[in-house]
Amino acid sequence: MKFIFVTGGVVSSLGKGLTAAALGTLLENRGLKVALQKFDPYLNVDPGTMSPYQHGEVYVLDDGAETDLDLGHYERFTSTKLSRMNNLTSGQVYQTVLNNEREGKYLGKTVQVIPHVTDEIKRRIHNLAEQSKAAVIITEIGGTTGDIEGLPFLEAIREFALEAGIGNTCFIHVTYVPFIKAAGELKTKPTQQSVAKLREIGIAPNIIACRCEKPLDKELRQKISMFCNVPLEAVIEAKDVDHSIYEMPLMLQRERMDDLVCRILHLTTPAPNMAYWQEIIRKLIAPQHRVRVGVVGKYIGLQDAYKSVYEALIHGGVANDCGVEIVQVDAEEIEKHGAKSILSGLGGICVPGGFGERGIEGKILAAKFARENKIPYLGLCLGMQIATIEFARSILKLDKAHSTEFDENTPHPVIALLDAQRKVTKKGGTMRLGAQPCQLTLGTKAAELYGSFVIQERHRHRYEFNNAYREKFEKAGFIFSGTSPDGKLVEIIELKDHPYFIASQFHPEFLSKPHQPHPLFKGFIAAAHQTIHHKPLYVI
């Protein structure tokens, strides 16, 4: 089994996760089974309790693990199915080590970072290798080389490489080569310093992936090669992509990174056939059609807060050979200026998940605008609850209908706390999480889109539709097109006499890939285009 470790230097947000995912794509297309994992140095047990402004979105896996958004890249770029084994934080490591100490598993020894913490980190690599049976394990180390909190992880992978032996490990260091505008040139010194810091720790990178705004010329590559002690061919240009992150596998292939990795790891494989990936890029760069859709949220100020939603919308466009212009709409702006002035001219409106009362009334106004003006609407988790509240107020005339999450004293709690959540006191990892079965109703738009009657989708919520109001909603034309198999939990709703008004309690964005777009997003983009251009894109 072979192991690749991806580290980062100079600054954060360089794209280590995308580099790991893109490399995984290339290796998979060489016929290798690949598994990816992310090590995060922060002390939170998982990102589930962190603000989106701090961390971006929380990406939920089938087994209910709340993980880093980079795991979304891993699943979108490769065929690998991830679990909680694929994401490790310092919080989890120290929690495990301290529990072991309390249980006497260290037999009275002094518990230290080396070997106890580093051994726990190495154990997680071995466990994934054993469970996945993959040919190659790609492990991304979060944070920036030199950060105090990341040192135990770097020491652990140094030890791991020593134990694995020559020819079984490859270190890829993603670094930054800034363009200094005043000087009119790229500077390699930050990269040199970052690699020097990594070598102080005892890790010598095999490959340096240089993030840059301008192309790296031969002279700069030679300079990095000389001062960072790597072969010239191992200095990889990772220039900012022109159109889409999905260009990265093709860009790394042009740089022959996958060839180099295979040589370092003594892997004999055929060259990857990336024809289908090239067609995806063609549809992204030169689509036959175009449409504008609005995403109405409260975390619009941070791009990563709705990362999977944005990507799933783009995937829906790929399925329809349609470029998607995403218009980011702050829900509070709708509250100030009204829905019509902000949402007019859009082909579709999407309301994603979220927590907290801020911006709720703006989202309700967005759902009302979509319903009344026959604009395609896609609600995700909170977006379904918003649509329910709006329908209750406007159509059922249930004055002050609301969710008990936002108004505990509402006279009409059409959205209420799940029964299983009533005695929950701890916030982390206690929601309804992970893949759950859903049974679709024959003859509904949802069943038509899925082409199936039993599906599995990922959840992350505490509140649900209140069944005490189900009969009233049904009589008014509110369709419950998907429920839990026992019929107790509403999973999908839709409206009749509307071109496309669908909302789900689950998060379909977590299962969408560029080459396997999710049915709800595929249908949403098709409906949005037809609304504006009066031309259908495809027949479901």
Side-chain angles (χ1 to χ4, degrees), residues 399-458:
D399 191 34
K400 297 182 180 179
H402 222 315
S403 165
T404 55
E405 179 181 3
F406 312 120
D407 182 2
E408 292 184 357
N409 300 314
T410 173
H412 296 293
V414 292
I415 302 294
L417 196 64
L418 281 158
D419 288 339
Q421 293 287 318
R422 297 191 184 281
K423 295 182 181 180
V424 171
T425 55
K426 291 185 178 181
K427 298 295 184 185
T430 57
M431 286 183 272
R432 185 180 182 224
L433 290 165
Q436 308 283 345
C438 171
Q439 189 165 312
L440 303 180
T441 304
L442 184 67
T444 60
K445 174 72 77 173
E448 182 184 3
L449 289 164
Y450 277 97
S452 176
F453 297 114
V454 179
I455 58 173
Q456 289 269 343
E457 293 281 1
R458 296 177 185 177

Side-chain angles (χ1 to χ4, degrees), residues 27-248:
L27 295 179
E28 267 200 353
N29 282 276
R30 283 176 171 266
L32 297 168
K33 184 177 181 182
V34 176
L36 297 100
Q37 66 182 167
K38 172 78 183 285
F39 289 169
D40 276 309
Y42 52 73
L43 284 172
N44 303 67
V45 174
D46 60 47
T49 57
M50 295 168 72
S51 165
Y53 287 119
Q54 284 278 312
H55 187 265
E57 76 170 2
V58 175
Y59 188 80
V60 180
L61 305 178
D62 274 359
D63 65 355
E66 295 175 292
T67 68
D68 184 82
L69 62 82
D70 276 320
L71 275 76
H73 294 315
Y74 301 165
E75 287 202 329
R76 284 189 283 271
F77 277 74
T78 68
S79 62
T80 184
K81 271 285 186 182
L82 305 179
S83 73
R84 62 185 68 252
M85 287 300 303
N86 299 81
N87 197 192
L88 180 68
T89 69
S90 289
Q92 292 173 24
V93 173
Y94 286 110
Q95 188 178 60
T96 301
V97 169
L98 292 174
N99 285 342
N100 288 344
E101 186 275 333
R102 292 290 83 187
E103 294 171 13
K105 292 184 178 180
Y106 298 127
L107 303 177
K109 292 179 181 177
T110 301
V111 180
Q112 297 175 292
V113 173
I114 302 171
H116 301 99
V117 170
T118 51
D119 281 353
E120 177 59 24
I121 295 168
K122 289 187 290 182
R123 186 183 70 83
R124 286 294 291 265
I125 303 173
H126 284 298
N127 284 357
L128 179 63
E130 185 178 332
Q131 288 187 16
S132 67
K133 308 297 183 187
V136 180
I137 305 291
I138 303 176
T139 302
E140 175 196 349
I141 311 299
T144 305
T145 298
D147 291 347
I148 291 173
E149 60 265 29
L151 290 175
F153 289 96
L154 294 175
E155 170 60 22
I157 63 174
R158 183 197 69 79
E159 295 175 12
F160 190 97
L162 188 65
E163 295 162 6
I166 296 171
N168 292 319
T169 59
C170 174
F171 288 98
I172 299 173
H173 191 56
V174 182
T175 185
Y176 183 47
V177 181
F179 177 75
I180 306 301
K181 191 173 181 180
E185 60 182 352
L186 293 164
K187 292 293 185 180
T188 66
K189 189 64 71 176
T191 293
Q192 295 175 43
Q193 295 290 341
S194 177
V195 172
K197 177 64 69 174
L198 196 62
R199 292 173 70 185
E200 283 177 17
I201 297 165
I203 296 172
N206 303 100
I207 298 171
I208 299 175
C210 301
R211 283 299 309 274
C212 49
E213 300 171 47
K214 308 285 185 180
L216 283 179
D217 60 28
K218 186 176 181 180
E219 183 181 347
L220 283 170
R221 291 185 192 234
Q222 288 174 333
K223 192 173 183 180
I224 293 170
S225 169
M226 174 65 70
F227 288 104
C228 296
N229 200 37
V230 297
L232 182 62
E233 64 177 346
V235 180
I236 301 294
E237 178 187 283
K239 186 173 168 287
D240 294 351
V241 292
D242 294 323
H243 300 92
S244 167
I245 59 173
Y246 300 111
E247 295 176 69
M248 276 204 70

